[in-house]
Structures are given as C-alpha cells and as structure tokens.
Amino acid sequence: MSKELVLYFSVYGTAKAVAEEIAKQTGADLKEIEPVVPYDSDRNHYNALAAYAKKEHDENMRPAIKNEINIADYDTIYIGYPMWWYTFPMIIYTLFDKYDFSGKTIIPFNTHMGSRDGGTYKTIQKLEPNAKVLRGLPVEMGTAESSSALAVSKWLNSLK
Ligand SMILES: Cc1cc2nc3c(=O)[nH]c(=O)nc-3n(C[C@H](O)[C@H](O)[C@H](O)COP(=O)(O)O)c2cc1C
C-alpha cells in the first residue's frame, strides 16, 4: 500500500477534482470524507447551502463523519476542502477532533472563489501542533474544474 493518502471533502466536486489530480500525479490512495447528513450538491440551491453552512459555522457545530478513515497506515496525508465562509467547512474540525495527526506530514489544499486558503493552513497547524504542515495549494474553482494539472505538478515539485 502507498504511504500517502489524499483525503478530501467536496460538495460541488471541485475539491474532489483536485484530489483526484493529486492522487493521479503522486500515486497516493484517495479517500473521501463522507458526512452522515449529506449536503445538497445542486448548485441551483446555493443560497440554502450557504445559509446552512453559516449556521453550522456560527453554532460551532461538528457535523459527523460517516466513514472510518484509516490514517494509521500513512505518513503523509493531503487534506483538501472548499473554502466556506472564509474558513474550512466545520466537518474538517470534526476530522481534527476525531483523528490524531501527531507525527504525520499534512499537505493541505483547497478550492475557493477568491479567499485563497483563508488562513486555514495555519489553523491546521494550530489544531495539529505535532504534525508537520507543508505549504498548501489554493485552487480557484474554475481552474479546479477545467484543469488543475499544471498547478498541481508545479506545487508538488516545489514541495520536493
Ligand atoms: C457554503 C459556501 C460558502 C462559501 N464561502 C466561500 C468563501 O468564504 N470564500 C471563497 O473564496 N469561496 C467560498 N465559496 C465557494 C467555494 O469555496 C467554491 O465553490 C469551491 O470550489 C467549492 O468546492 P467543492 O466543489 O469541492 O464543493 C463558498 C461556497 C459555499 C457552497
């Protein structure tokens, strides 16, 4: 088994597309963070999702994760998510509450519509002080959907 894992949360599929590109270029395993209560992925319902996500954020909720994630087998874990309300979705807090990434190397990436990483890479280092957090990759939504291959390969090379 590969010692690298690409772990991602995605509702509209763009963080998923970047995750798949990273897995393709690195040969890492790929795993989705699945919520117990699914989010509405119909982009016509954006306002409803925005309101729901804001409530989760304002109430500091910890949406439950449905699937078990084996992080023990991996030394290096890429973690990807969309930017939601200037930070990561609250389910990413659930991930860091539930799993201990001490001793692991975390490589974050995210999709966004202008906020870039919104300071979330620093938040990850605060939440996981005993992990090594490498320089992350923010990918604008349109690029994530059309092709992130070049951005991903340049970034992966810069981490070597
Ligand atoms: C609830 C919600 C909140 C968002 N908040 C932000 C934000 O604060 N800053 C930003 O740049 N983009 C924001 N976006 C845009 C998403 O980051 C962008 O659409 C992203 O590509 C979605 O990733 P996904 O396709 O993996 O779900 C928001 C989108 C949603 C649905």
Side-chain angles (χ1 to χ4, degrees), residues 131-147:
K132 185 176 178 188
V133 181
L134 301 191
R135 195 165 59 81
L137 179 70
V139 183
E140 196 276 321
M141 185 180 193
T143 306
E145 284 192 299
S146 53
S147 173

Side-chain angles (χ1 to χ4, degrees), residues 34-147:
E34 298 172 25
V36 168
V37 181
Y39 293 88
D40 187 344
S41 61
D42 183 338
R43 295 187 191 191
N44 294 319
H45 302 162
Y46 170 82
N47 288 343
L49 177 59
Y52 187 71
K54 179 131 189 6
K55 181 178 154 66
E56 282 189 345
H57 178 265
D58 291 352
E59 296 180 9
N60 202 20
M61 288 165 75
R62 295 288 184 273
I65 297 173
K66 187 167 78 179
N67 52 332
E68 277 305 313
I69 298 161
N70 169 17
I71 65 161
D73 284 355
Y74 302 95
D75 303 322
T76 298
I77 304 170
Y78 297 82
I79 300 179
Y81 46 83
M83 194 49 46
W84 275 12
W85 292 108
Y86 312 106
T87 183
F88 43 50
M90 299 311 285
I91 199 167
I92 300 296
Y93 279 102
T94 310
L95 178 79
F96 290 121
D97 282 358
K98 195 170 170 191
Y99 296 97
D100 181 7
F101 289 80
S102 294
K104 310 279 182 197
T105 296
I106 297 174
I107 313 181
F109 63 97
N110 73 283
T111 50
H112 67 92
M113 285 181 71
S115 296
R116 296 186 63 82
D117 84 290
T120 53
Y121 305 159
K122 283 189 180 147
T123 304
I124 292 173
Q125 184 69 82
K126 277 194 202 128
L127 293 173
E128 295 294 337
N130 298 317
K132 185 176 178 188
V133 181
L134 301 191
R135 195 165 59 81
L137 179 70
V139 183
E140 196 276 321
M141 185 180 193
T143 306
E145 284 192 299
S146 53
S147 173

